[in-house]
Amino acid sequence: DGGITQSPKYLFRKEGQNVTLSCEQNLNHDAMYWYRQDPGQGLRLIYYSQIVNDFQKGDIAEGYSVSREKKESFPLTVTSAQKNPTAFYLCASKQGSGNYGYTFGSGTRLTVV
Amino acid sequence: QKEVEQDPGPLSVPEGAIVSLNCTYSNSAFQYFMWYRQYSRKGPELLMYTYSSGNKEDGRFTAQVDKSSKYISLFIRDSQPSDSATYLCAMSGVGGAQKLVFGQGTRLTINP
């Protein structure tokens, strides 16, 4: 079945550590997105990529980094510069020309301990 | 002011009730309007989508868009306990590169 796989489902980070969240899709979608979800704030865009080897900052990119070396993969690194990283992180993808066809992964819950 | 405003609730109604969920927005460039349903600890799934103004019906769900008032609604008829979830409105402008802007989400509980 086609879809988006995010791993791990739960992740614990110590203060000062960098952690990387995985996102893989087998939908052959061109565009991929990372969102952060906090209670009562909806989804906020961190980074997005329209094509391989290219990506743009979203609304809350500070403290995060991404890469897009392969079409199917868009990993997100939460760096130690991110002051409040505890949140639910969602990866999504869509075909480049469409406006509706966003597919989301099941998310990664990141907690700072 | 946020581009998209949505009452976060929580909203609790008895089974069988009609539920009305709403969002307002400020960006007149928005043309595509969507409703996502998100169960606890899961990713959002697309429930309904409309282009520009008008109504769209799919089973027990009806989506309405009033662009003159910058107001969109989702109605759920004969609500079921399985409808209990967080409902997120989302919208974007024209063009594949347009970003999707989400409301805060409304947490809905249908009581048996």
Side-chain angles (χ1 to χ4, degrees), chain A residues 9-10 33 35 37 40-43 45 48 50 58-59 88 90 94 96-100 102 104-107 109, chain B residues 2 8 32-34 36 38 41-44 46 49-51 88 92-100 102-105:
Chain A
K9 194 171 179 69
Y10 298 96
Y33 304 80
Y35 289 90
Q37 187 173 30
Q41 294 206 46
L43 276 67
L45 183 64
Y48 63 104
Q50 303 278 340
D59 301 317
F88 189 50
L90 287 159
K94 78 171 180 75
S97 59
N99 286 84
Y100 298 128
Y102 289 76
F104 283 85
S106 295
R109 170 78 58 186
Chain B
K2 292 183 179 181
Y32 293 89
F33 303 92
M34 287 144 269
Y36 283 83
Q38 184 179 23
R41 297 190 183 89
K42 298 289 185 184
L46 183 63
Y49 63 89
T50 53
Y51 172 72
L88 297 143
S92 72
V94 176
Q98 293 292 319
K99 294 180 288 183
L100 203 55
F102 285 85
Q104 296 95 313

